[in-house]
Amino acid sequence: APCAQRFLADGKAHAEYDKERAKQVMAAAGVPVGEGVMIAREEAATRHAMEPPYVAKPIAEGSSVGVFIVREDHQHPPQELLSSEWALGDEMLIERYIPGRELTCAVMGDTALGVIDIRPTESLKFYNYEAKYAPGGSVHVLPAELLPNIYLSVQTITLTAHRALGCRGVSRSDFRYDEKEIGEQVYFLEINTQPGMTGTSLVPEQAAHLGISFPDLCGWLIEDASCQR
């Protein structure tokens, strides 16, 4: 999940998950981000904040928890946001839906790793929680089958995002890429400051692609975290 520092009245920096603030940092660093707007949860449930299709997501959750894709044929916004059991915050980030391919790239230290093209199984609507963690929920194509300039662009933007947010150790950035769009723009979605380390996670797979075993990756993370910078 993305993390940005919030300065409160006491003048001290408090680290919080905040996707909108992270996007602001990215945009200021020249990272291409999609159109988005912040609104209250109740408002997001009662009116379309933008013309569908769009994506509605909590500002402080990871693993696609609480994410809704509102398509053109949806007459109403997600009514689940009005549930008395909703516990994912009272602010929602509404973003323009970007069609195309789901790409991801990690940074380890100060080096961008390989780019993965994530392809959820046909039974799943998008790269959601099940696609991330259920065995067989998605296919990971590594290296992604992209034109060399697009592949390099994803790696460059990933490294820029990592540095702009002041990340250390390992981070992973997610992108949407519509090769049918004029100019073939790659759009930054989110940065994961604590990427998953499960059997279906992406960073261990990217490290293994470079010949770095899971034990060696874990050892590197521990050693890197112990160093004073």
Side-chain angles (χ1 to χ4, degrees):
C3 180
Q5 286 187 327
R6 178 174 293 178
F7 290 87
L8 302 184
D10 59 9
K12 297 180 181 179
H14 299 258
E16 299 182 351
Y17 292 119
D18 193 321
K19 298 182 181 184
E20 173 61 15
R21 287 177 180 265
K23 282 186 65 177
Q24 293 172 6
V25 172
M26 298 305 166
V31 172
V33 298
E35 175 189 358
V37 62
M38 285 284 298
I39 65 173
R41 173 173 58 91
E42 293 83 358
E43 187 177 359
T46 54
R47 71 173 182 89
H48 290 305
M50 62 175 60
E51 194 73 21
Y54 62 83
V55 180
K57 61 176 72 170
I59 66 167
E61 293 295 327
S63 298
S64 298
V65 175
V67 174
F68 300 92
I69 295 181
V70 180
R71 304 191 184 276
E72 294 93 330
D73 58 349
H74 290 184
Q75 294 184 348
H76 305 286
Q79 298 303 290
E80 293 90 341
L81 297 177
L82 294 175
S83 171
S84 60
E85 298 181 358
W86 181 267
L88 303 178
D90 292 324
E91 292 182 290
M92 298 293 291
L93 176 59
I94 310 299
E95 295 180 309
R96 174 70 56 202
Y97 175 77
I98 302 170
R101 298 158 69 177
E102 183 100 8
L103 305 177
T104 193
C105 182
V107 170
M108 183 175 175
D110 202 37
T111 302
L113 306 184
V115 180
I116 292 179
D117 186 351
I118 304 168
R119 302 176 183 177
T121 58
E122 293 183 3
S123 62
L124 301 176
K125 295 180 180 179
F126 67 103
Y127 190 51
N128 58 12
Y129 189 92
E130 183 179 355
K132 287 178 167 68
Y133 298 110
S138 61
V139 174
H140 303 162
V141 180
L142 174 65
E145 298 170 352
L146 300 167
L147 293 174
N149 63 311
I150 300 298
Y151 197 99
L152 179 60
S153 176
V154 172
Q155 291 179 309
T156 300
I157 296 172
T158 298
L159 194 54
T160 298
H162 180 90
R163 292 169 174 169
L165 209 58
C167 295
R168 285 180 50 188
V170 169
S171 73
R172 199 193 79 241
S173 290
D174 299 329
F175 302 86
R176 292 290 282 183
Y177 169 55
D178 186 2
E179 53 195 338
K180 297 179 182 179
E181 182 183 82
I182 297 176
E184 296 187 326
Q185 179 65 66
V186 173
Y187 289 96
F188 170 89
L189 291 180
E190 296 183 2
I191 188 168
N192 302 270
T193 56
Q194 294 178 311
M197 297 287 283
T198 72
T200 60
S201 294
L202 298 156
V203 168
E205 187 174 350
Q206 290 168 310
H209 182 67
L210 293 179
I212 303 171
S213 68
F214 187 76
D216 287 344
L217 173 61
C218 293
W220 182 91
L221 286 168
I222 294 170
E223 183 177 353
D224 181 75
S226 68
C227 295
Q228 295 296 321
R229 302 295 178 89

